[in-house]
């Protein structure tokens, strides 16, 4: 959300900022609505003063026994005119608020210009992106051979873009989540939260999913929304709050299912579990002072990278260009893990600094020491990391073509009861359940 006063004071800044996202002409339109609204407000004040003055005179004239019919008619005319103007002022306020709420954040100066993901800039790389000895397989091939990943049964009960995991893969998914939560809470200073999965309109509005991205969400018949990410629940912890300065930064993490309609993704990643309607993710959210958010952004990204380092996975980190940066973000780092089955890097974490963009929508503020006025906090969010994609990466990178098993990474063995390798099922459940 943007401050209309800031747009009035520096329209060129917003013109140039939105032009970097290929958006033009919005500043003039916004200022036009704002000018008309302020003119109406001024005129309403003038009419109200005139009405009050005449009303007082009417009282005095009546006490004197003077005819006041003309004055009363004038008051009636003013009231009618004010009602029309108030309705128009309300319409303008709603239109202005809608326009402001559907325009993206301004980008940091050091975000590279570009049209799409092909213009993102790699800033570092960890490990080697090398072919698998003995041949690589994609995760859905490995899962099918293990007889532990079933898309057909999932589709029977839920439709496309769902998966059913069982046996060793279900346990491996859970182990990944437990490992990440333990790492972020014990080593990275995040507070674990078990948040609501169903939220109201105001929560999604606060983090920027509404009104612009309503079609990307799932909504219940009772009017609640299923969270697309725990960022929504975690960031809204500070909504409508004035936070003590000594309480900052706040760092929260949660392991939750996430739900996305994947609107507009027809034909993309149709095989396997890379793009699902339901998936698990460990989320990180930070609430900071404005002067600390840039450093917190680097710290958060490092926390996500540490997950992959401890899992022994190769990855690269890129800074997103102007054309690929998300709606709420002023700057985003994507971490892309190497998938030998696809022979390419795929996003597994996205860490964004949103500045005060979400805080303005949520009215999340803090009061600096010794200062009377409050300031908006800065909010940051990042995947720490996506569980499903981490599972895919472990399956493809730790696949043993000699026996079709998956070697369990060392850091996950305590969560797997000491299991060294996930081996193919000895009895095919799919065959046993075949109709």
């Amino acid at each position: 959300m943007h401050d209309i006063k800031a747009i009035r004071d520096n329209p060129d800044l917003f013109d140039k900022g939105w032009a970097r996202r290929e958006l033009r002409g919005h500043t003039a339109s916004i200022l036009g609505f704002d000018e008309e609204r302020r003119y109406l407000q001024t005129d309403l004040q003038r009419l109200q003063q005139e009405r009050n003055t005449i009303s007082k005179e009417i009282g005095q004239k009546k006490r004197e026994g003077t005819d006041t019919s003309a004055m009363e008619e004038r008051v009636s005319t003013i009231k009618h005119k004010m009602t029309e103007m108030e309705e128009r002022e309300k319409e303008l306020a709603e239109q202005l608020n809608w326009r402001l709420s559907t325009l993206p954040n301004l980008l940091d100066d050091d975000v590279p210009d570009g049209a799409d993901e092909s213009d993102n800039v790699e800033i570092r790389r960890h490990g080697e992106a090398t072919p698998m000895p003995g041949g690589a397989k994609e995760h859905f091939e490995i899962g099918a051979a293990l007889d532990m990943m079933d898309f057909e049964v999932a589709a029977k009960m839920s439709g496309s873009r769902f998966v059913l995991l069982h046996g060793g893969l279900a346990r491996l998914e859970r182990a990944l989540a437990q490992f990440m939560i333990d790492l972020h809470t014990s080593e990275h200073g995040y507070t674990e939260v078990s948040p609501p999965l169903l939220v109201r309109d105001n929560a999604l509005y606060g983090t920027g999913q509404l009104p612009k991205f309503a079609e990307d969400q799932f909504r219940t018949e009772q009017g609640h929304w299923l969270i697309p990410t725990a960022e929504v629940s975690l960031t809204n912890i500070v909504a409508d709050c004035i936070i003590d300065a000594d309480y900052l930064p706040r760092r929260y993490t949660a392991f939750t299912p996430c739900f996305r309609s994947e609107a507009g993704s027809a034909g993309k990643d149709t095989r396997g579990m890379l793009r699902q309607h339901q998936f698990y993710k460990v989320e990180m959210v930070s609430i900071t002072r404005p002067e600390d958010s840039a450093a917190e952004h680097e710290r958060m990204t490092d926390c996500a990278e540490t997950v992959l380092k401890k899992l022994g996975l190769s990855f690269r980190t890129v800074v997103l260009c102007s054309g690929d940066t998300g709606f709420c973000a002023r700057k985003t780092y994507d971490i892309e893990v190497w998938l030998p089955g696809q022979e390419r890097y795929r996003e597994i974490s996205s860490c964004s600094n949103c500045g005060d963009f979400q805080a303005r929508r949520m009215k999340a503020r803090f009061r600096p020491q010794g200062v009377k006025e409050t300031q908006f906090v800065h909010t940051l969010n990042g995947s720490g990391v996506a569980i499903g994609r981490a599972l895919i990466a472990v399956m493809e990178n730790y696949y043993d073509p000699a026996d079709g098993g998956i070697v369990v990474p060392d850091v996950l063995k305590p969560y797997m009861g000491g299991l060294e390798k996930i081996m193919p099922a000895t009895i095919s459940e799919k065959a046993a359940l075949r109709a």
Side-chain angles (χ1 to χ4, degrees), residues 168-202:
L169 288 188
R171 186 170 187 177
L172 184 61
E173 181 182 54
R174 175 163 54 89
L176 282 162
Q178 291 178 298
F179 157 67
M180 292 177 202
I181 283 290
D182 286 350
L183 177 65
H184 292 318
T185 55
S186 63
E187 296 186 24
H188 296 159
Y190 287 85
T191 298
E192 183 176 0
V193 178
S194 179
L197 306 181
L198 293 167
V199 296
R200 297 186 294 190
D201 291 9
N202 60 291

Side-chain angles (χ1 to χ4, degrees), residues 12 20 58 91 179 231 269 315 332 358 395:
D12 289 344
R20 295 188 66 196
I58 290 173
E91 290 176 3
F179 157 67
E231 170 203 342
D269 300 312
F315 64 88
T332 298
Q358 293 177 325
M395 290 175 66

Side-chain angles (χ1 to χ4, degrees), residues 363-407:
K363 298 179 177 61
R365 296 156 290 163
F366 77 105
R367 181 174 284 109
Q369 292 290 347
V371 178
K372 185 177 180 180
E373 294 185 356
T374 61
Q375 296 181 25
F376 288 105
V377 297
H378 279 197
T379 63
L380 303 95
N381 63 80
S383 309
V385 296
I387 303 298
R389 295 197 174 195
L391 176 64
I392 291 170
V394 168
M395 290 175 66
E396 294 191 8
N397 282 278
Y398 283 87
Y399 170 67
D400 185 350
D403 56 18
I406 301 170
V407 177

Side-chain angles (χ1 to χ4, degrees), residues 188-260:
H188 296 159
Y190 287 85
T191 298
E192 183 176 0
V193 178
S194 179
L197 306 181
L198 293 167
V199 296
R200 297 186 294 190
D201 291 9
N202 60 291
L204 280 176
Y205 177 84
T207 47
Q209 282 82 14
L210 292 181
K212 190 174 179 63
F213 303 104
E215 67 172 6
D216 296 327
Q217 320 304 324
F218 283 113
R219 193 177 193 183
T220 70
E221 292 182 355
Q222 290 73 32
H224 285 87
W225 301 83
L226 293 168
I227 60 168
T229 163
E231 170 203 342
V232 175
S233 304
L234 297 180
T235 310
N236 272 278
I237 290 174
V238 298
D240 299 307
C241 292
I242 298 176
I243 308 164
D244 291 338
D246 292 341
Y247 201 58
L248 296 173
R250 300 305 304 152
R251 299 185 178 111
Y252 303 112
T253 188
F255 160 54
T256 68
C258 305
F259 306 90
R260 297 182 186 174

